[in-house]
Amino acid sequence: MECEEVNMYLMLLLMGAHCTLVGPVAPEEGWQVYSSAQDGEGRCVCTVVAPQQAVCSRDARTKQLRQLLEKVQNMSQSIEVLDQRTQRDLQFVEKMEVQLKGLEDKFHQVEEGHESNVARQYKSIKSKMEELRPLIPVLEAYKADALLVRQFKEEAANVTELLGALQEQLGGLDYQELHGRVTSLEDRLRACMQRLACGKLTGISDPVTIKTSGSRFGSWMTDPLAAPGDHRVWYMDGYHNNRFVREYQSMSAFMTTENFTSHRLPHPWSGTGQVVYNGSLYFNKFQSHTVIRFQLDSALIVRSRPLDFAGYNNMYHYSWGGHSDIDLMVDEGGLWAVYATNQNAGNMVLSRLDPDTLQVVRSWTTNHPKRSAGEAFMICGTLYVTNGYSGGTKVYYAYSTNSSTYEYIDIPLANKYSHLSMLDYNPRDRALYAWNNGHQVLYNVTLYHIIQ
């Protein structure tokens, strides 16, 4: 995106333009979602997809323009040489054309005014001239081509002039000034985000495929509480009896390379409900109802605690199976666990966990059977549940922990690859991360916010 376009794009968003879908830009530029929201009148507020670092490089744009300008100038020089040759050859051809027509007229006169024996000699010459007759339309086409060359030369000159003017305009812009303007707008957008109260989910965009890798089941994520500049991606293939977690340094590295660091967990995990939060990986220990907090930098288990009464080992899984009994997730309010118990007749239980001690802070019981849910995720204290994991999918059930009430909704979710085995919300990106049949995809979300 060009510098002026970035400024205009950000300004439109600040003024309340229509919502824009999330999508990654070129891998070398990176990407980050700052916000996706709507105000009371349905206008988009504080939504921006921006690079991790400033990408409005005047030098790069000027270099591209200079290269394009040089190409046009080289083309203009070539056309000039061709035009000179064309004009010279055209003069010769036109002279030939006049001579040919003159000879043809003379032969016609000779044929009519001489005796038959002389006419026969000239008929022989005429037959040779007939062989040259097809040259005349060729000459006409040649003249038309020469005209096109001249027109093309004029167009190239116009393009050269326009490119030169654009280059001069860009050259007059100060890079530091542009960078400062973009940075200022980004700061204003961040400040705007701080004024947004939690919102209600009103829409989900089409998926953006980030990568195609791994098996049919798995999970991938970024840390919503990572320090500024930390854009690592975490990747866990499979749903049971696996211990290896991949760490990619950035989203662009995840998208474009296979360079990663491998972490070996002390215990294998169950399901695809893992989450990275504030530098720790939280996962369900295989064949147990134990939740483990594993600190990634130190490679140590910091805390381990059983989730009382939670079903495990495919007792109360999502409808797709895969040992998905305990689903850990994060939203703006912190760390959550979604599971089912015998006491709640297999219906979903929602517990907010202390991220340090893993103790249950508070629990809510719902009336939704866990086995009937396709996948689930938390946004702003509300649990959203899909009606399935394959084929046509939608978010159709929402349970609010703020009011302890539920409602049925109808928000389509494009299931591009026909098998969802992981769906989690990241409050920093305000996007849904999904594992869809061996594809890692992102969804932008639209939230209805109350502006404070």
Side-chain angles (χ1 to χ4, degrees):
M1 185 176 292
E2 299 179 10
C3 294
E4 291 299 327
E5 291 176 339
V6 169
N7 289 334
M8 182 61 68
Y9 180 50
L10 298 178
M11 187 62 70
L12 286 173
L13 291 167
L14 287 170
M15 295 172 61
H18 291 294
C19 293
T20 304
L21 297 183
V22 171
V25 296
E28 65 271 12
E29 295 177 358
W31 66 275
Q32 185 173 359
V33 182
Y34 288 141
S35 174
S36 181
Q38 285 183 333
D39 64 12
E41 298 180 3
R43 296 173 302 182
C44 205
V45 178
C46 294
T47 300
V48 63
V49 178
Q52 297 170 3
Q53 300 175 351
V55 298
C56 286
S57 172
R58 179 181 62 84
D59 296 336
R61 287 294 301 161
T62 303
K63 182 178 179 181
Q64 294 174 0
L65 283 170
R66 189 186 309 115
Q67 291 174 346
L68 183 58
L69 182 60
E70 289 174 356
K71 289 181 180 180
V72 175
Q73 288 173 341
N74 292 336
M75 183 175 63
S76 298
Q77 293 173 359
S78 300
I79 294 174
E80 181 69 30
V81 174
L82 177 61
D83 186 53
Q84 291 175 359
R85 292 206 310 263
T86 302
Q87 293 300 326
R88 186 183 63 245
D89 295 343
L90 182 59
Q91 292 174 1
F92 174 75
V93 169
E94 288 175 342
K95 193 176 296 184
M96 260 185 73
E97 183 181 11
V98 172
Q99 292 175 353
L100 284 170
K101 289 184 176 179
L103 284 173
E104 186 178 14
D105 293 340
K106 184 178 290 187
F107 290 150
H108 185 68
Q109 295 171 4
V110 170
E111 183 180 12
E112 291 180 349
H114 289 74
E115 296 179 0
S116 59
N117 60 338
V118 177
R120 282 197 298 270
Q121 295 176 4
Y122 279 92
K123 283 182 179 179
S124 176
I125 298 174
K126 182 182 177 182
S127 65
K128 293 181 180 180
M129 291 303 302
E130 291 292 339
E131 297 175 3
L132 295 176
R133 186 181 296 275
L135 180 61
I136 294 177
V138 174
L139 297 178
E140 296 294 334
Y142 186 86
K143 288 191 290 184
D145 291 342
L147 178 61
L148 288 176
V149 170
R150 287 196 295 272
Q151 293 175 346
F152 186 46
K153 178 183 176 182
E154 293 174 358
E155 292 176 4
N158 292 335
V159 172
T160 302
E161 183 179 356
L162 290 173
L163 284 173
L166 182 57
Q167 185 184 36
E168 182 179 353
Q169 180 183 5
L170 267 181
L173 296 176
D174 182 71
Y175 172 73
Q176 294 299 328
E177 179 185 356
L178 281 172
H179 183 271
R181 287 164 63 185
V182 173
T183 302
S184 174
L185 286 170
E186 289 180 354
D187 291 341
R188 290 168 63 188
L189 285 169
R190 289 179 182 273
C192 179
M193 274 190 60
Q194 300 303 319
R195 299 171 53 205
L196 292 177
C198 259
K200 178 181 179 180
L201 180 67
T202 58
I204 301 174
S205 75
D206 288 336
V208 177
T209 302
I210 302 300
K211 191 170 184 176
T212 301
S213 64
S215 64
R216 193 175 189 182
F217 316 96
S219 62
W220 71 293
M221 65 217 78
T222 59
D223 188 346
L225 292 186
D230 183 355
H231 303 286
R232 288 178 291 177
V233 176
W234 307 93
Y235 174 98
M236 303 173 71
D237 189 12
Y239 65 83
H240 76 293
N241 205 24
N242 193 348
R243 298 188 182 199
F244 292 95
V245 181
R246 293 183 184 181
E247 171 192 336
Y248 294 84
Q249 284 303 304
S250 65
M251 185 67 73
S252 61
F254 177 67
M255 293 169 64
T256 60
T257 72
E258 283 301 327
N259 298 325
F260 59 84
T261 301
S262 183
H263 300 265
R264 187 179 188 275
L265 301 178
H267 306 286
W269 68 77
S270 269
T272 58
Q274 306 86 11
V275 65
V276 173
Y277 187 63
N278 199 22
S280 293
L281 171 68
Y282 298 82
F283 67 96
N284 174 210
K285 181 181 176 182
F286 183 55
Q287 293 183 333
S288 76
H289 60 355
T290 298
V291 176
I292 292 177
R293 177 190 171 196
F294 178 80
Q295 195 169 55
L296 290 160
D297 290 342
S298 65
L300 296 174
I301 292 179
V302 180
R303 191 71 62 186
S304 176
R305 185 180 297 276
L307 194 58
D308 293 340
F309 307 114
Y312 65 92
N313 203 24
N314 266 339
M315 179 181 294
Y316 294 123
H317 54 73
Y318 285 131
S319 57
W320 63 271
H323 294 258
S324 55
D325 304 80
I326 298 175
D327 191 2
L328 301 170
M329 52 189 72
V330 168
D331 73 348
E332 291 81 355
L335 179 65
W336 302 83
V338 174
Y339 53 99
T341 64
N342 288 332
Q343 289 81 351
N344 197 35
N347 292 329
M348 301 175 80
V349 177
L350 177 59
S351 294
R352 187 158 63 88
L353 306 181
D354 184 308
D356 294 325
T357 65
L358 297 181
Q359 289 182 329
V360 174
V361 178
R362 184 179 173 184
S363 292
W364 292 259
T365 57
T366 76
N367 61 349
H368 193 290
K370 178 86 164 33
R371 286 175 174 265
S372 298
E375 270 291 339
F377 55 91
M378 292 288 298
I379 297 180
C380 297
T382 297
L383 175 69
Y384 293 95
V385 181
T386 70
N387 64 335
Y389 62 92
S390 62
T393 307
K394 65 180 180 179
V395 178
Y396 82 118
Y397 179 88
Y399 184 92
S400 171
T401 60
N402 297 322
S403 61
S404 298
T405 59
Y406 70 92
E407 63 176 329
Y408 289 98
I409 58 179
D410 188 0
I411 301 177
L413 176 68
N415 192 350
K416 186 174 182 179
Y417 303 106
S418 301
H419 195 289
L420 286 168
S421 61
M422 170 257 178
L423 188 63
D424 272 340
Y425 173 71
N426 186 306
R428 182 182 67 174
D429 298 340
R430 297 207 171 170
L432 290 173
Y433 285 60
W435 190 291
N436 195 338
N437 207 358
H439 301 79
Q440 293 75 50
V441 302
L442 286 175
Y443 297 86
N444 184 44
V445 297
T446 301
L447 305 180
Y448 180 85
H449 286 76
I450 300 175
I451 309 301
Q452 298 178 339

